[in-house]
Amino acid sequence: MTIFANNRIWLLSSAIAAALAVPGVSLAATLNVMQSEAPRSMDPGDQTATYTAALLDPMYEGLIKRDPDLSLKPALATEWSSDPSGLVWTFKLRQGVKFQDGTPFDADAVVKNFNRHLDTKRGLAASGRLRTFLDSVTAVDAGTVQFKLKTKYPAFLALLTTGPCLMVSPTADAAGTIGSKAVGTGPYKLGEYKSGEYVLEVKNPDWWGGAAKGEDQIKWTWTAETSVMNMALQTGDADVINPFPSAFAQQVKANSEMKLSTTDGSAVFWVSLNTKLKPLDDVRVRQALNYATDRAGIVKAFMQGFATPANSPLAPVTPGYDKSLAPYSYDIDKAKQLLKEAGYPDGFTMSTIVQEQEARIGELLQAMWAKAGIKLDVRKMESGVWSKAAFLDPAGKEKDGIGSAIASWSSGVNGADLQFRPLYYSKSASPAGANLGFFSDPKLDELVDKAASTLDETARNAIYADAQKEVNDQAPHVLLFTKQDLFATRANVAGVWVIPGGQVVVKDAKKQ
Amino acid sequence: MKAYIVKKMLALPLILVGVSLLVFVAIRALPGDPARLMAGPEATQEAVDNMTRRLGLDRSLPAQYASFAVGALTGDLGTSIKSKLPVVSEIRERLPFTIGLAITAYLIAIAIGVPAGMIAAIYRHGWPDQAVMILAIMGASIANFWLALMAMNTFSVQLGWLPLLGATSWKSFIMPSVTLAVLPTAVIARMTRSSMIEVMSQDYIRTAYAKGLAPGQIYWNHALRNALIPIITIVGLNFGSLIGGAVVTESVFNWPGLGRFLVDAVRYRDYPVIQGVTLVAVTGVVLMNFLAELLIAVVNPRIRLD
Amino acid sequence: MATARTDHTETQPRRRSATGQTLRWIGAHRSIALGGALISVIVLAALFAPLVAPADPYAQDLIATMEPPSWAHPFGTDDNGRDIFARVVYGARISLLEVLLSVGLAMVVGVPLGILAGMSGRYVDQAIMWAMDILFAFPGIVLSILIVSVLGTSLANLMIAIAIFSVPVYSRLSRNLTLGLKSMDYVEAAVSLGISTRRIMTHYILRNAIAPIIVQSTLTAGTVILSAASLSFLGLGAQPPLPEWGAMMSDGRNYLGLNIWMSLFPGLAIMITVLGFNILGDGLRDLLDPRK
């Protein structure tokens, strides 16, 4: 016990211990954000995951940005216009902007950024979206760039706010370090990326917009355990958690120390049916599956009510969504009747592949479809295995007997083309794209192409209405629901909002 | 004696080679494509192919094993697919956390398990014996992830005494190490009890009694010293099971150690990391086994586990 | 002549009833009795599941999800509205299957290998032990993660994975027992009589080694069930909608703070089963040890 004989040392060490023991105390104010997965890359052009996009958002900017009311506003571009054909767009760039490593932001930087996506040899993960319509980007002068589009593309401006169109420092990109060290132009810069542990973002003192409005630091952590996320919010280890596990909604709503935010989301959950595998090649069978699905029941059991049953392949927030489209009703008898017509009066057996998070949907469908005589074999797989299986070609899926896959797709508010094309366009059949069921309908392809180049909004929406009906009728998917975006914060946090699809925006958030 | 040590030491590299082969083969046999995973669901086939090339996964298997083996010997375990950092430095950063957790857990296990086992042996067939045995078996039959979550809920959320996640202060050590210590405590308690019982019935203990030594002295000086062997056995030979427990515990507590690192790596098929961490973990187990067997041979040459 | 008093008495020995004898045996072997009783409860529940739990373990009721215990649902309902009591009872079948198959497979592979190693010359012995050491060096969970990830997630592959990492224990045990038995007189006699090696291995070695091996199997049984639970936690366990205890506990952990029933009851079931096996194993070990 001689350690404690010296009182001063004992007092000092216990004071230090006490100080260390208080969680989250640091000299700067930190906003702690916890998500459900780790960031895939520090380069917004080389990944497509929503949660990584949220993490990168404070550090990067594009030519255009979205405001909390979802309108498009100038960011790194001050004004823009297009020629009468709609194929050539001219952007005036903001002056005096520097990347966080000192590289000047100018037309040359913009051109380099887009060229790395147009370069077919580079193979960046997010390039796919741009290559369908973008022809070239050229510098008119140091402060002006010109975009040439292959076809008219109404979602062009919206796309400029997303991943591949965010400006990364050409110097860092050329050095090959951008994947692990973020360098953008945003109000926050990378403070520390402890791989597997956390990402710390600190204010960028040289930001062109002056003083960033948020906290001094933003610290991003992640956990795969929903209970732990909820506990972290309760203890205050996390100020913001996203996505919020809906099971705990009542608990959080009843707790005055926390706030729950529920907004219309854009992630549509579906079961993609393998149209090349018997008997799913028969449209009546696919429709029968739709009739056998109790969407309201799934919404209640799986999302605790925080979702809208799907009546259309589009989410309600997507421009062009047709509210009046009649959904499939929950009608077991109709399902059985259709099956009988198709030649399966006693039902049949099929399989579905799911990832851990959607496994319960599989279980719910299993019980529902059994009532119509369909035996569903649910195969739960880890993400790696699931990705491989889901993107197999028809031969591969036939060999493994993969009848369907349960997943979701979100196109944010960037336009219906980004929902239709990757999922239902014939050329997007996997492994080339996310049309996991190899759906091929020339009528739909035509509608999608036509809409994509129709600049008049009313006309475009009318075409999309037809497209939605076509997808509903042909039933390549059993559409399930559109998930609401749920995130929760401590009560003293203000200024957090979410872009439909689950990308939470925290760069302007402050703790009172 | 020397021959025994030398023989054991020569066997080590052979084991490690076998281990590295098994690890390599098993990992390559893992379904799932790291390139597709890294690129994300929206990526085109071409982007995935590019990623495959960037990761060196298009080379032949023997070529990949050769570079892995050579690298391992020279201290280069490759580069993490996910973080693009050298695996060796990633491991070096996390190893102390896992070791710290393991040591703390063992200390707790010995501090509680040994006295408990002794009490159970001394009051054999009495209620302390029954109590210790039942508690020990209960401890050995709780799913550790459940215990971890319950502890978090009770001590962090409800009572607010301990930090929930991560390794921010000395307090962060408590819940993870106690959770991890539950199983070794149970095993050490039972082993101490049975070896104490065995030793206590031996002749030289009876001689000590006859000589008139106080029971306390007998227990501590003679019996315990000889009961140390099972403790060395558990710590050394059951090291593998502790690592296994650490995997789950670290995942739940977001503990920045090798266990969680491994789980994340498997999720993303980060081959170099899976290989490197498994190799390090297994090497650790092999070394601990070796040291334990050595210690046992030194302490009691009559007992040779061969 | 005086009647000599001797020790020999003419009274009849007291008749011991069968029940009395059984009860005396139970009293003397409390561990075996208790362990055996616990396991019997589990086995009976598994065998007579439809009688014990009339509810359908797979029937979902999306209106009545996450309900606390009640008369209708003694253990409450889970997140899909399924009766937890029925799932726990039917889960006993799966857990016992897991134990039988994993332990059985480990024994079937490990014991012959160990006996072979013990009986053979230096090189075969070294080779087999080298392979076992490699397997043994892997922490069980790590090996299971690799194997299940390679083979695919399913109950069968889970059992194979657990069996594989349990093999070294049985082979080492059998080998050490074989080495000990090899030098016994009756075995040496059999060898000199010219009895074939195979017959020696089965009739002399195996028969005498089987008891400690059985004791070990009761201890492995506990590990099997807990390993399955940990693997479910990591997403590599039994596929839905199987009412496997480990998977049920793992699912329930997502509702911590809201609903304890989903994890509590399968957890208790696991604990009782593992408890039963361990107590039984201890009792058997005490029974076999000649010193006590």
Side-chain angles (χ1 to χ4, degrees):
Chain A
M1 303 294 127
T2 46
I3 310 170
F4 301 135
N6 190 334
N7 277 328
R8 258 183 294 149
I9 294 184
W10 188 74
L11 274 170
L12 184 63
S13 44
S14 57
I16 294 178
L20 287 174
V22 178
V25 163
S26 48
L27 297 169
T30 311
L31 186 75
N32 293 298
V33 187
M34 185 178 271
Q35 297 197 113
S36 56
E37 61 173 54
R40 312 263 178 108
S41 169
M42 288 283 117
D43 177 1
D46 201 16
Q47 71 85 33
T48 54
T50 310
Y51 301 124
T52 308
L55 186 150
L56 297 177
D57 173 69
M59 301 188 287
Y60 289 98
E61 298 170 304
L63 297 177
I64 302 182
K65 70 167 185 201
R66 267 199 204 281
D67 264 0
D69 61 358
L70 300 183
S71 61
L72 297 173
K73 292 272 153 57
L76 289 178
T78 48
E79 49 182 270
W80 52 90
S81 59
S82 83
D83 74 345
S85 69
L87 294 175
V88 180
W89 290 78
T90 312
F91 284 77
K92 278 213 152 348
L93 303 177
R94 195 174 295 272
Q95 299 296 309
V97 178
K98 279 209 181 68
F99 284 98
Q100 289 143 10
D101 62 357
T103 314
F105 169 72
D106 54 15
D108 187 54
V110 175
V111 170
K112 284 209 175 92
N113 259 282
F114 281 94
N115 278 345
R116 71 184 190 134
H117 287 293
L118 295 175
D119 178 359
T120 48
K121 279 189 264 134
R122 198 83 192 253
L124 291 171
S127 309
R129 286 184 206 167
L130 291 178
R131 293 227 213 107
T132 47
F133 66 89
L134 189 59
D135 182 55
S136 68
V137 181
T138 43
V140 174
D141 57 53
T144 322
V145 280
Q146 208 172 65
F147 288 80
K148 274 211 187 63
L149 308 186
K150 289 187 222 177
T151 81
K152 287 183 278 207
Y153 198 69
F156 172 54
L157 292 179
L159 259 188
L160 286 179
T161 65
T162 66
C165 306
L166 297 179
M167 297 288 118
V168 311
S169 155
T171 325
D173 185 47
T177 57
I178 194 77
S180 47
K181 261 189 107 218
V183 184
T185 61
Y188 285 84
K189 61 180 181 183
L190 183 67
E192 193 188 349
Y193 174 24
K194 202 150 167 33
S195 168
E197 302 311 317
Y198 60 81
V199 173
L200 187 65
E201 297 170 353
V202 298
K203 277 195 178 160
N204 175 10
D206 304 318
W207 188 48
W208 58 265
K213 285 190 272 174
E215 288 295 340
D216 295 327
Q217 294 181 86
I218 308 178
K219 188 171 183 192
W220 299 80
T221 52
W222 44 89
T223 176
E225 297 291 308
T226 51
S227 294
V228 172
M229 257 190 161
N230 182 42
M231 286 197 271
L233 188 68
Q234 308 219 353
T235 59
D237 278 66
D239 297 307
V240 182
I241 59 175
N242 176 50
F244 178 73
S246 51
F248 297 102
Q250 297 308 322
Q251 213 185 48
V252 165
K253 278 202 213 168
N255 189 334
S256 56
E257 282 181 38
M258 296 169 240
K259 288 191 296 201
L260 179 63
S261 157
T262 56
T263 49
D264 291 325
S266 65
V268 182
F269 281 73
W270 35 254
V271 186
S272 168
L273 302 171
N274 186 346
T275 61
K276 287 209 158 48
L277 194 70
K278 271 189 148 35
L280 298 166
D281 52 345
D282 188 331
V283 64
R284 287 169 297 188
V285 170
R286 301 198 297 264
Q287 288 175 344
L289 289 177
N290 271 284
Y291 279 112
T293 307
D294 178 8
R295 288 173 184 77
I298 293 184
V299 163
K300 181 179 180 297
F302 187 69
M303 292 298 309
Q304 275 76 35
F306 290 102
T308 341
N311 70 322
S312 149
L314 296 181
V317 298
T318 308
Y321 166 71
D322 184 357
K323 200 164 56 183
S324 66
L325 187 61
Y328 284 92
S329 53
Y330 177 42
D331 192 340
I332 296 280
D333 293 323
K334 190 99 192 276
K336 282 202 203 155
Q337 190 199 347
L338 278 167
L339 284 174
K340 199 156 119 202
E341 274 174 38
Y344 299 94
D346 301 318
F348 60 93
T349 307
M350 64 179 279
S351 73
T352 189
I353 57 174
V354 280
Q355 298 182 75
E356 182 84 38
Q357 312 90 281
E358 286 97 32
R360 276 193 61 218
I361 301 184
E363 283 190 78
L364 293 166
L365 288 173
Q366 206 175 37
M368 282 173 201
W369 291 355
K371 296 198 190 126
I374 295 149
K375 189 166 173 315
L376 181 67
D377 171 33
V378 177
R379 297 186 206 163
K380 188 170 68 158
M381 302 174 167
E382 298 172 78
S383 358
V385 187
W386 185 89
S387 295
K388 189 153 186 211
F391 284 89
L392 284 173
D393 63 5
K397 287 206 174 103
E398 166 128 35
K399 180 159 156 283
D400 289 345
I402 297 176
S404 60
I406 302 181
S408 67
W409 190 268
S410 159
S411 55
V413 283
N414 298 324
D417 188 64
L418 286 165
Q419 190 81 8
F420 275 109
R421 195 172 294 273
L423 293 179
Y424 305 107
Y425 202 71
S426 56
K427 290 211 197 100
S428 303
S430 57
N435 181 352
L436 306 179
F438 319 112
F439 179 55
S440 177
D441 181 358
K443 181 160 168 227
L444 182 72
D445 285 355
E446 201 191 300
L447 286 169
V448 171
D449 281 330
K450 192 147 153 249
S453 46
T454 306
L455 286 179
D456 174 49
E457 202 176 324
T458 330
R460 186 171 64 233
N461 287 350
I463 305 176
Y464 276 134
D466 288 337
Q468 287 168 71
K469 184 155 188 318
E470 179 71 8
V471 169
N472 252 25
D473 290 340
Q474 292 298 313
H477 282 179
V478 175
L479 297 166
L480 297 171
F481 55 83
T482 303
K483 180 172 173 299
Q484 282 183 5
D485 288 326
L486 283 121
F487 69 86
T489 66
R490 301 281 307 170
N492 63 341
V493 175
V496 180
W497 55 283
V498 68
I499 299 178
Q503 184 177 323
V504 70
V505 182
V506 300
K507 58 185 179 226
D508 299 327
K510 262 199 118 51
K511 298 202 272 200
Q512 270 105 18
Chain B
M1 181 61 187
K2 247 197 218 140
Y4 177 70
I5 298 179
V6 170
K7 190 171 86 148
K8 283 261 145 205
M9 278 181 69
L10 283 176
L12 275 182
L14 274 174
I15 295 182
L16 291 175
V17 166
V19 160
S20 72
L21 263 172
L22 185 59
V23 166
F24 180 83
V25 167
I27 286 165
R28 283 298 174 283
L30 284 173
D33 185 0
R36 160 73 62 185
L37 274 165
M38 277 299 112
E42 259 194 58
T44 56
Q45 182 57 39
E46 178 194 279
V48 173
D49 289 340
N50 248 301
M51 187 70 84
T52 309
R53 258 195 304 273
R54 276 152 70 180
L55 299 175
L57 294 173
D58 51 341
R59 295 175 295 161
S60 73
L61 282 183
Q64 290 186 45
Y65 178 70
S67 59
F68 164 57
V70 166
L73 289 172
T74 53
D76 170 21
L77 289 169
T79 313
S80 160
I81 292 179
K82 190 152 172 300
S83 71
K84 328 245 186 321
L85 296 168
V87 174
V88 174
S89 67
E90 297 261 57
I91 291 182
R92 203 182 299 142
E93 277 198 30
R94 291 171 169 79
L95 189 62
F97 286 99
T98 302
I99 301 230
L101 197 62
I103 292 179
T104 316
Y106 272 141
L107 287 176
I108 296 176
I110 293 176
I112 300 183
V114 169
M118 281 179 57
I119 293 175
I122 294 171
Y123 294 102
R124 196 174 165 204
H125 293 317
W127 68 262
D129 184 16
Q130 312 279 33
V132 166
M133 291 307 289
I134 299 282
L135 278 173
I137 297 181
M138 277 177 66
S141 57
I142 282 190
N144 46 4
F145 66 84
W146 181 240
L147 188 63
L149 287 170
M150 294 297 296
M152 283 168 106
N153 193 28
T154 312
F155 295 105
S156 207
V157 179
Q158 311 287 0
L159 294 171
W161 289 348
L162 299 171
L164 187 75
L165 295 167
T168 44
S169 67
W170 65 267
K171 277 192 186 178
S172 309
F173 268 89
I174 299 181
M175 277 197 295
S177 52
V178 169
T179 310
L180 196 55
V182 168
L183 184 62
T185 308
V187 177
I188 287 182
R190 294 177 66 188
M191 268 228 143
T192 308
R193 172 187 177 274
S194 50
S195 72
M196 280 277 295
I197 289 175
E198 207 173 296
V199 158
M200 268 165 36
S201 64
Q202 301 218 346
D203 285 343
Y204 67 93
I205 296 291
R206 287 208 218 111
T207 316
Y209 261 123
K211 275 207 223 153
L213 282 176
Q217 256 202 310
I218 296 179
Y219 296 137
W220 285 101
N221 294 341
H222 291 109
L224 185 56
R225 228 186 292 147
N226 284 285
L228 270 175
I229 287 189
I231 296 176
I232 300 174
T233 313
I234 300 298
V235 172
L237 299 180
N238 276 15
F239 189 62
S241 95
L242 191 79
I243 299 277
V247 167
V248 172
T249 311
E250 288 185 12
S251 294
V252 177
F253 286 102
N254 270 17
W255 188 258
L258 288 180
R260 190 170 85 120
F261 193 39
L262 180 65
V263 171
D264 286 344
V266 172
R267 199 168 278 148
Y268 285 104
R269 299 290 188 267
D270 195 339
Y271 291 165
V273 172
I274 303 177
Q275 271 163 197
V277 174
T278 311
L279 200 58
V280 166
V282 172
T283 307
V285 173
V286 168
L287 282 174
M288 288 292 279
N289 284 3
F290 173 64
L291 281 172
E293 288 183 354
L294 215 61
L295 263 172
I296 290 174
V298 162
V299 167
N300 188 346
R302 280 175 296 166
I303 301 176
R304 295 260 190 92
L305 292 179
D306 210 6
Chain C
M1 245 186 330
T3 14
R5 287 278 224 112
T6 63
D7 282 317
H8 176 77
T9 57
E10 292 288 349
T11 53
Q12 295 277 34
R14 217 177 61 209
R15 278 273 306 274
R16 285 167 178 202
S17 65
T19 336
Q21 274 190 307
T22 320
L23 284 173
R24 282 183 71 112
W25 189 91
I26 289 179
H29 301 95
R30 277 198 305 266
S31 296
I32 299 184
L34 182 58
L38 287 172
I39 300 297
S40 307
V41 167
I42 305 291
V43 170
L44 286 172
L47 286 174
F48 298 107
L51 292 175
V52 175
D56 178 359
Y58 297 100
Q60 295 178 7
D61 180 358
L62 299 182
I63 320 269
T65 59
M66 310 253 272
E67 286 186 353
S70 62
W71 274 119
H73 300 288
F75 285 176
T77 62
D78 70 0
D79 51 354
N80 286 353
R82 295 176 290 205
D83 180 42
I84 296 180
F85 180 62
R87 286 175 72 75
V88 169
V89 169
Y90 278 84
R93 293 185 169 177
I94 299 183
S95 293
L96 286 177
L97 190 69
E98 280 173 2
V99 168
L100 278 171
L101 286 181
S102 294
V103 173
L105 195 58
M107 279 170 63
V108 158
V109 173
V111 169
L113 273 177
I115 295 182
L116 185 66
M119 292 290 293
S120 309
R122 254 190 77 215
Y123 292 112
V124 177
D125 182 17
Q126 296 277 44
I128 294 183
M129 280 301 110
W130 175 73
M132 294 298 110
D133 280 343
I134 292 176
L135 269 183
F136 197 65
F138 281 84
I141 275 204
V142 175
L143 198 58
S144 310
I145 292 177
L146 289 176
I147 295 176
V148 175
S149 301
V150 169
L151 294 175
T153 307
S154 77
L155 191 63
N157 293 335
L158 184 70
M159 295 194 275
I160 293 175
I162 297 178
I164 291 181
F165 82 69
S166 307
V167 160
V169 172
Y170 288 97
S171 67
R172 261 204 194 167
L173 181 63
S174 325
R175 174 185 177 271
N176 291 344
L177 287 168
T178 307
L179 288 177
L181 287 169
K182 217 165 63 163
S183 53
M184 290 264 161
D185 288 340
Y186 60 93
V187 177
E188 284 184 3
V191 172
S192 43
L193 275 177
I195 298 184
S196 76
T197 319
R198 195 191 308 161
R199 207 176 154 75
I200 293 184
M201 289 202 283
T202 48
H203 280 75
Y204 289 81
I205 308 278
L206 184 61
R207 203 178 272 172
N208 289 290
I210 203 74
I213 292 178
I214 299 237
V215 171
Q216 178 62 46
S217 72
T218 58
L219 300 176
T220 316
T223 318
V224 167
I225 301 184
L226 288 171
S227 301
S230 288
L231 285 169
S232 290
F233 165 75
L234 294 170
L236 299 169
Q239 291 281 39
L242 281 179
E244 202 263 333
W245 290 342
M248 288 168 70
M249 276 193 85
S250 175
D251 287 342
R253 80 183 195 276
N254 292 323
Y255 302 101
L256 198 78
L258 288 175
N259 172 325
I260 206 176
W261 323 116
M262 282 178 69
S263 287
L264 181 68
F265 292 111
L268 282 177
I270 292 181
M271 194 178 288
I272 293 176
T273 311
V274 176
L275 200 71
F277 273 113
N278 278 346
I279 294 181
L280 183 65
D282 278 354
L284 284 175
R285 194 194 294 140
D286 283 348
L287 187 68
L288 296 171
D289 192 329
R291 268 177 297 186
K292 312 219 178 91

